[in-house]
Amino acid sequence: MLLCIGGVCVPYTAVIPIIVLALKWVVVKLVHLGLLPKAVGDALHVSQVEQSSQSGETIEAKGPSTVKTLKSQDEFENLLKDAKQKVVCKFTASWCKPCHRIQPVYEALSSHYEDAKFLTVDVDDYDGIASKYSVSMMPTFVVVKGDQVLGKYSGSNDGELHRFLKEQVGRSE
């Protein structure tokens, strides 16, 4: 049995989960705007991750950015030769708006981790590298050590990126 509204038909069993997801989204927004007490958000298990993407908090740089833009395939291969060095690769594209939005955060975070190299890889210029790491959306952040992938994060949430880097690269300086 289907429920059709306009040109969209969904099984009747999917209506309740869709309503629940919509209500959760509304609750997250209302808690963030301060229209609902934080206790209500906690009782409904609205996670901090969902709220942090809207928080607008800025991540301060601890020094100059250490992010390099990849210039050649050889440069990439040379960076990976050191099996002890962690390399954080941000896969991006010139047309990707979320990539541009998170770039200042990525640059600020690069100054927190002195033990890692930070790199920006344009998927349009280096599609072979992007396909090697199965990059299917931008921005995608991949932490590599030698030939081993330590972790991968896709998205443009400041808090999630910071958390990902803490887990994969180590404690921030």
Side-chain angles (χ1 to χ4, degrees):
M1 183 172 226
L2 294 175
L3 174 64
C4 295
I5 300 172
V8 179
C9 295
V10 294
Y12 72 94
T13 56
V15 172
I16 292 175
I18 290 170
I19 291 171
V20 169
L21 284 174
L23 287 175
K24 184 175 180 183
W25 180 82
V26 168
V27 168
V28 169
K29 295 295 181 185
L30 291 175
V31 169
H32 171 68
L33 294 172
L35 299 173
L36 277 179
K38 188 174 184 297
V40 172
D42 293 341
L44 295 173
H45 304 291
V46 175
S47 72
Q48 292 294 73
V49 171
E50 291 169 311
Q51 293 176 25
S52 70
S53 67
Q54 307 295 325
S55 68
E57 70 181 65
T58 57
I59 297 172
E60 296 294 324
K62 290 194 173 190
S65 169
T66 61
V67 177
K68 292 183 181 179
T69 301
L70 186 65
K71 301 286 186 212
S72 70
Q73 180 85 24
D74 291 337
E75 178 186 10
F76 185 75
E77 291 168 6
N78 288 334
L79 280 171
L80 296 183
K81 282 184 182 177
D82 184 358
K84 296 178 184 176
Q85 178 71 55
K86 290 182 182 179
V87 179
V88 180
C89 302
K90 175 190 173 207
F91 289 92
T92 185
S94 59
W95 45 264
C96 171
K97 290 186 181 184
C99 299
H100 292 293
R101 192 202 65 74
I102 196 126
Q103 184 66 24
V105 175
Y106 182 61
E107 289 181 9
L109 286 170
S110 73
S111 66
H112 291 238
Y113 301 94
E114 295 176 1
D115 295 337
K117 301 275 186 195
F118 283 73
L119 191 63
T120 300
V121 180
D122 190 312
V123 297
D124 293 328
D125 295 336
Y126 299 100
D127 58 339
I129 296 172
S131 63
K132 177 180 177 180
Y133 294 104
S134 303
V135 174
S136 58
M137 70 174 277
M138 275 87 54
T140 293
F141 302 87
V142 179
V143 179
V144 183
K145 189 174 183 181
D147 287 334
Q148 182 182 7
V149 175
L150 301 179
K152 187 174 175 180
Y153 167 69
S154 296
S156 60
N157 180 300
D158 304 358
E160 281 293 305
L161 177 59
H162 196 181
R163 200 168 297 116
F164 168 75
L165 291 174
K166 280 183 183 177
E167 291 171 4
Q168 301 302 326
V169 179
R171 300 177 67 91
S172 63
E173 305 280 320

